[in-house]
Amino acid sequence: MLLKVLIAGALCAVSAAGSALAAPDGERAAKLAQSLCPVLQPGDLVFKGASTAIWTQLAAGWSDATDRRWGHVGLVVTVDTQGEGRPDASPDAGGCDAGIVHADTGTGNPGQPPGPGEEIGAVRDVPLEAFLGDVDHVGVFRLALDADQRARMLAWARGEAERRTPFDRGYNLDSENNLYCTELIWRAMSKGLGADAVPQKSHRMGRTYIALSDLSRHPLAEELVDLDVSDCPPGSNCEQ
């Protein structure tokens, strides 16, 4: 059953996907993290809404028409309910923080090599609040894996973050030497299951790829949270 998460009088939750983007500030990201963290478990998938940026909108467009809400995804690898487990956690984490492994695009244009002064993207382990720093729409999905499967999935994902595996700007599934966001999750799930987690992959324009909808609509994925605060601008009554 879908959990409608309310941010305890701090933010409004609405279901109107695709509404106008209201840029979140640091306070909003902290409140989102405080709301979501108690819900999370290691192994959950956290999706960013498609309206986050032009690149997330493009990513959502490559999903199946049944679910184009999402533009990026990360994997929860740790949940700390005491607020003491991560030295890089915000002091405003509110007694709960989580670590998210995701394939960060870096700066520059997706699909192109980084230019002078541009950051090379990589798989990173970041605090939940940092992961949510540019979003106003977030989803949480729980994977139906047993304890051993989940442990293998998390161990592999953490290893990729420790190695800082480069972001795959070519969006190619032929190699594990570089990874894009959904490829990272697919490979992590496959390591956990011991089999291809998405045997029926998306195909378009002669390309085979892992779409965000391949994950959000996965048979093992249960949607827990769909939280959209895009109609709740900072300082409005719905934040009181």
Side-chain angles (χ1 to χ4, degrees):
M1 177 180 293
L2 178 66
L3 287 176
K4 292 297 184 181
V5 175
L6 302 179
I7 307 187
L11 293 171
C12 63
V14 296
S15 59
S19 52
L21 176 64
D25 58 11
E27 181 181 358
R28 174 172 289 179
K31 290 177 178 177
L32 281 170
Q34 290 171 25
S35 173
L36 291 178
C37 187
V39 178
L40 299 178
Q41 296 179 8
D44 288 349
L45 304 183
V46 179
F47 287 79
K48 290 186 177 187
S51 63
T52 300
I54 183 63
W55 312 125
T56 55
Q57 294 173 29
L58 291 172
W62 284 79
S63 283
D64 184 271
T66 59
D67 191 5
R68 289 181 173 168
R69 292 172 293 169
W70 314 116
H72 188 57
V73 63
L75 174 68
V76 179
V77 292
T78 56
V79 178
D80 171 30
T81 59
Q82 303 303 316
E84 299 175 350
R86 293 184 63 100
D88 53 356
S90 166
D92 300 322
C96 183
D97 190 56
I100 308 291
V101 167
H102 73 121
D104 185 348
T105 60
T107 58
N109 296 322
Q112 300 295 326
E118 292 180 346
E119 179 186 7
I120 298 175
V123 177
R124 308 184 194 281
D125 181 353
V126 301
L128 174 64
E129 185 177 333
F131 185 75
L132 299 177
D134 58 353
V135 307
D136 57 8
H137 185 195
V138 61
V140 177
F141 290 70
R142 182 153 298 156
L143 299 174
L145 304 178
D146 65 32
D148 289 340
Q149 292 169 336
R150 186 172 293 106
R152 290 194 297 269
M153 176 179 70
L154 294 174
W156 185 85
R158 290 191 193 100
E160 296 305 300
E162 291 171 0
R163 285 186 287 274
R164 292 293 183 97
T165 300
F167 186 85
D168 183 3
R169 289 176 177 247
Y171 298 88
N172 191 319
L173 296 179
D174 290 342
S175 172
E176 293 185 23
N177 294 333
N178 43 37
L179 302 165
Y180 58 91
C181 72
T182 50
E183 180 187 4
L184 169 71
I185 304 302
W186 162 63
R187 290 193 184 279
M189 290 175 62
S190 297
K191 296 294 183 182
L193 293 169
D196 190 339
V198 185
Q200 300 298 319
K201 299 171 182 60
S202 293
H203 301 273
R204 188 184 301 181
M205 299 175 63
R207 181 182 292 271
T208 299
Y209 61 99
I210 306 297
L212 285 148
S213 58
D214 290 335
L215 302 176
S216 67
R217 296 301 191 193
H218 196 281
L220 296 179
E222 177 189 5
E223 183 171 356
L224 298 182
V225 173
D226 182 346
L227 178 64
D228 188 341
V229 296
S230 57
D231 284 347
C232 191
S236 67
N237 289 336
C238 62
E239 290 197 1
Q240 303 303 317

